[in-house]
Amino acid sequence: MVLLHGHPYLVRRALYLVASQQIQAEALFAQAIGDRGPFGDHLRYHLFRIYEKKDLVQGFLQVIHNNTCPDERIARLLSAAGLVRREGQIIVPRCQLYADYFREHLHG
């Protein structure tokens, strides 16, 4: 739950891979943020969607590091893309998997 925060697609994928014995649970967690890991295709898809949009990248890095996004338009776009969620007054990455992956791949 900590890694995926109930993300429907990611949870379903993780359960399928473990249940079909394609990967052990320990390996799934160890390889989670790898480009060749169990979620690599999904993570790369989102990375390529925002990579050339510097305002989205900077906004997402603000969310990852400070749990804030000063530009409400950027916050709404990141939320619409499914990358962030609101918790009261703060904005956080949708799940820890996204925070870890994008922190590494967006060089933040």
Side-chain angles (χ1 to χ4, degrees), residues 56-100:
L56 292 179
V57 169
Q58 291 306 314
F60 198 20
L61 286 172
Q62 283 288 318
V63 170
I64 290 169
H65 294 297
N66 303 323
N67 293 332
T68 187
C69 185
D71 187 333
E72 187 60 33
R73 181 185 69 84
I74 298 298
R76 282 194 310 271
L77 289 171
L78 291 169
S79 180
L83 296 172
V84 301
R85 60 187 165 82
R86 290 191 184 271
E87 285 187 357
Q89 298 295 352
I90 64 171
I91 301 171
V92 296
R94 173 140 184 209
C95 59
Q96 191 61 45
L97 177 70
Y98 287 176
D100 295 343

Side-chain angles (χ1 to χ4, degrees), residues 7-103:
H7 188 294
Y9 170 74
L10 298 175
V11 169
R12 184 178 46 139
R13 175 132 177 94
L15 290 173
Y16 172 77
L17 291 171
V18 172
S20 64
Q21 299 180 350
Q22 294 182 40
I23 193 169
Q24 297 291 320
E26 297 81 21
L28 182 127
F29 290 117
Q31 300 169 12
I33 66 166
D35 281 325
R36 297 186 186 273
F39 309 112
D41 56 341
H42 176 80
L43 294 168
R44 282 189 312 276
Y45 168 77
H46 283 295
L47 178 64
F48 293 139
R49 286 180 63 199
I50 69 167
Y51 195 74
E52 295 296 322
K53 298 174 177 123
K54 298 300 180 195
D55 54 344
L56 292 179
V57 169
Q58 291 306 314
F60 198 20
L61 286 172
Q62 283 288 318
V63 170
I64 290 169
H65 294 297
N66 303 323
N67 293 332
T68 187
C69 185
D71 187 333
E72 187 60 33
R73 181 185 69 84
I74 298 298
R76 282 194 310 271
L77 289 171
L78 291 169
S79 180
L83 296 172
V84 301
R85 60 187 165 82
R86 290 191 184 271
E87 285 187 357
Q89 298 295 352
I90 64 171
I91 301 171
V92 296
R94 173 140 184 209
C95 59
Q96 191 61 45
L97 177 70
Y98 287 176
D100 295 343
Y101 179 82
F102 287 102
R103 183 180 300 113

